[in-house]
């Protein structure tokens, strides 16, 4: 017995659902890669990247996933044995730091909690004690997709400034860009890392770095630069140099369409939609958590991201049964816990191409699984989500 039909619905925090318009935009013949339309597509995409990061900085487009952009960001601004300070609040800043370790950086992790945002005071204190300026860059994620925390980037900038420290501030926005506000220039971020397959609604394979003037100055002295990632060679006058080779033609068409959708809806509307659908998710999870089988991973409600919600589940077998039921009986793929939360959590994604029916459908399917599997939970999670949305979205 099953009630699934048609498309599998992805409620995982990346890759996310790709809108039909974006899929269709890729279904067309290839065009010249040296001149004409594609050159304009690239120029527009760079403008789109400045628009969405709210930056006048220099964007670079990579044929790579987020891990590639991590390496691109570090190798373009740093030297062998430079120290980087990684701000822990989940899995991903640490992963980025490990990438740095493999290319010859000296990685220091500022320990944090998987259940809280980065503490700016701890950052300030550590940087103040770095009298000789050994730390060259501070790495942080805006949203950690494993813990579902959101970090306060302006507060971290203030911490660096209060310490009078000259390190670069490098921010991974892979799980937040296009889901919540981000102001690279206003917030004083030196390097932004992003990727296309989460809030930007494109199929995976393209990622980005954006660099400000301070980062470009570091770049001049960096000795970890390599041919493929190198910002300087990518600024060459020939179009192929932008991509260090053949451009990913069809992916650029798709990405261009995704940005068209983003511009049409408007960033503020997009952020509001994410905030509301995240609020609905949290209303449901709060209900379910009235029985102690379930709990929010992120303790302080102000620290919870608008793009993904990580829910701790006490019993690993029940957790597995929920995932299996949602996928096999209903065709909905719920995110699993990863890294230290593997086997301990589920993750409900609410980023990118999501709306009230898809989100309420996902919550409904999860609640259905709890009923069908007789897993103790506070009743009325979906009703709470509906009540929240009805009260928040007036006629
Ligand atoms: C998904 C994600 C990554 C990794 O991206 P890949 O495309 O899988 O390499 C890095 N950082 C954050 C915050 C993410 O959410």
């Amino acid at each position: 017995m099953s009630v699934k039909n048609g498309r599998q619905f992805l409620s995982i925090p990346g890759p996310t659902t790709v809108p039909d318009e974006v899929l269709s935009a890729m279904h067309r013949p290839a065009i010249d890669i040296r001149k004409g339309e594609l050159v304009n597509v690239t120029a527009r995409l760079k403008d789109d990247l400045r628009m969405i990061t709210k930056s006048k900085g220099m964007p670079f487009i990579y044929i790579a996933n987020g891990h590639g952009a991590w390496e691109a960001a570090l190798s373009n601004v740093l030297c062998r044995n430079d120290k980087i300070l990684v701000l822990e609040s989940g899995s991903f800043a640490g992963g980025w730091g490990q990438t740095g370790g493999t290319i010859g950086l000296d990685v220091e992790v500022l320990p944090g909690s998987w259940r809280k945002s980065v503490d700016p005071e701890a950052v300030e204190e550590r940087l103040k004690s770095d009298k000789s300026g050994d730390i060259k860059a501070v790495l942080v994620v805006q949203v950690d997709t494993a813990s579902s925390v959101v970090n306060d980037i302006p507060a971290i900038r203030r911490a660096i400034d209060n310490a009078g420290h000259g390190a670069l501030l490098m921010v991974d926005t892979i799980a937040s860009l296009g889901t919540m506000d981000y102001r690279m220039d206003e917030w004083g971020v030196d390097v932004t890392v992003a990727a296309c397959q989460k809030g930007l609604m494109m199929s995976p394979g393209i990622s980005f770095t954006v660099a400000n003037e301070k980062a470009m100055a570091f770049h001049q002295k960096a000795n970890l630069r390599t041919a493929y990632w190198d910002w300087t060679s990518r600024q060459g006058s020939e179009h192929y140099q932008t991509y260090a080779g053949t451009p990913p033609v069809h992916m650029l068409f798709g990405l261009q369409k995704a940005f068209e959708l983003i511009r049409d809806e408007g960033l503020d509307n997009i952020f509001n939609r994410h905030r509301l659908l995240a609020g609905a998710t949290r209303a449901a999870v709060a209900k379910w958590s009235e029985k102690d089988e379930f709990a929010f991973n992120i303790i302080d409600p102000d620290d919870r991201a608008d793009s993904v919600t990580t829910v701790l589940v006490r019993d690993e077998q029940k957790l597995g049964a929920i995932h299996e039921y949602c996928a096999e009986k209903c065709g909905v793929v719920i995110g699993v816990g990863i890294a230290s939360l593997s086997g301990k959590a589920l993750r409900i994604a609410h980023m990118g191409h999501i709306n009230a029916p898809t989100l309420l459908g996902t919550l409904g399917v999860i609640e259905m699984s709890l009923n069908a599997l007789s897993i103790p939970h506070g009743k009325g999670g979906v009703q709470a989500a509906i009540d929240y949305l009805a009260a928040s979205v007036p006629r």
Side-chain angles (χ1 to χ4, degrees):
M1 200 98 72
S2 123
V3 287
K4 70 176 176 186
N5 173 259
R7 295 181 188 193
Q8 190 178 54
F9 184 73
L10 289 184
S11 178
I12 58 175
T16 61
T17 302
V18 180
D20 288 351
E21 295 96 316
V22 174
L23 291 174
S24 305
M26 290 188 270
H27 193 83
R28 54 170 287 193
I31 56 174
D32 188 2
I33 59 167
R34 295 182 190 282
K35 56 183 180 350
E37 184 186 348
L38 201 65
V39 176
N40 298 328
V41 171
T42 296
R44 262 202 310 275
L45 285 175
K46 288 184 177 176
D47 284 343
D48 290 332
L49 287 166
R50 291 191 182 96
M51 176 274 295
I52 202 154
T53 55
K54 297 187 177 157
S55 173
K56 293 191 166 58
M58 193 67 78
F60 299 92
I61 305 172
Y62 293 100
I63 309 169
N65 60 17
H67 284 67
W70 276 350
E71 190 169 323
L74 297 172
S75 64
N76 267 296
V77 293
L78 295 168
C79 294
R80 186 164 301 279
N81 299 324
D82 275 355
K83 179 174 279 212
I84 55 175
L85 183 66
V86 172
L87 310 183
E88 185 191 25
S89 61
S91 172
F92 285 89
W96 191 6
Q98 279 171 11
T99 296
T102 66
I103 61 173
L105 295 169
D106 176 9
V107 184
E108 176 179 330
V109 177
L110 185 72
S113 165
W114 272 62
R115 305 199 64 185
K116 289 190 191 131
S117 59
V118 168
D119 174 10
E121 278 177 29
V123 178
E124 183 174 334
E125 198 179 309
R126 175 63 190 95
L127 291 176
K128 274 184 175 157
S129 72
D130 181 37
K131 301 274 185 244
S132 50
D134 287 341
I135 296 168
K136 300 300 180 209
V138 174
L139 274 55
V140 64
V141 296
Q142 189 177 25
V143 166
D144 187 282
T145 328
S147 66
S148 74
V149 81
V150 57
N151 285 312
D152 185 345
I153 303 302
I156 292 165
R157 174 78 256 170
R158 281 194 297 277
I160 298 173
D161 292 345
N162 289 343
H165 202 286
L168 292 170
L169 175 57
M170 305 178 72
V171 180
D172 170 343
T173 65
I174 293 174
S176 53
L177 203 64
T179 75
M180 63 172 291
D181 201 12
Y182 180 73
R183 299 167 183 257
M184 178 169 172
D185 290 0
E186 190 182 318
W187 294 352
V189 177
D190 300 304
V191 179
T192 297
V193 170
C196 71
Q197 78 274 22
K198 297 189 182 178
L200 304 188
M201 306 181 289
M202 178 49 192
S203 57
I206 299 192
S207 56
F208 319 97
T209 60
V210 184
N212 71 4
E213 279 176 18
K214 179 172 172 183
M216 292 309 292
F218 270 63
H219 173 70
Q220 299 312 318
K221 300 192 202 110
N223 71 10
L224 286 176
R225 289 159 54 173
T226 59
Y228 183 73
W229 303 121
D230 191 70
W231 288 344
T232 297
S233 60
R234 280 171 180 262
Q235 286 176 283
S237 57
E238 295 298 324
H239 184 244
Y240 79 88
Q241 292 178 291
T242 304
Y243 300 95
T246 306
V249 180
H250 292 85
M251 302 202 68
L252 301 180
F253 292 146
L255 191 58
Q256 171 173 259
K257 177 55 79 174
F259 273 117
E260 248 174 71
L261 299 180
I262 288 169
R263 284 184 186 273
D264 285 351
E265 185 175 358
L267 283 184
D268 290 339
N269 291 330
I270 290 172
F271 301 157
N272 259 321
R273 172 167 57 82
H274 280 84
R275 188 178 52 76
L276 292 167
L277 296 173
T281 306
R282 296 191 278 255
V285 173
K287 268 286 165 207
W288 299 333
S289 303
E290 286 173 4
K291 292 280 184 335
D292 47 11
E293 188 67 38
F294 300 98
F296 284 101
N297 179 54
I298 298 303
I299 297 162
D300 183 342
D302 291 339
D303 284 355
R304 292 176 190 154
D306 284 347
S307 47
V308 55
T309 298
T310 303
V311 185
L312 301 177
V313 182
R314 219 164 42 159
D315 182 314
E316 186 166 356
Q317 269 175 352
K318 289 182 180 138
L319 173 64
I322 294 169
H323 279 115
E324 188 180 326
Y325 187 95
C326 292
E328 299 307 320
K329 300 294 182 185
C330 302
V332 176
V333 184
I334 309 292
V336 296
I338 57 170
S340 75
L341 290 181
S342 176
K344 298 194 173 83
L346 58 82
R347 293 183 298 158
I348 306 169
H350 29 84
M351 65 170 98
H353 187 50
I354 51 145
N355 55 24
T358 51
L359 192 271
L360 289 172
T362 300
L363 298 176
V365 160
I366 295 172
E367 195 162 306
M368 177 180 160
S369 77
L370 304 184
N371 286 338
L373 299 165
S374 303
I375 296 173
H377 62 283
K379 294 281 175 190
V382 175
Q383 185 63 52
I386 292 170
D387 291 347
Y388 169 85
L389 284 178
S392 313
V393 185
R395 57 184 293 212

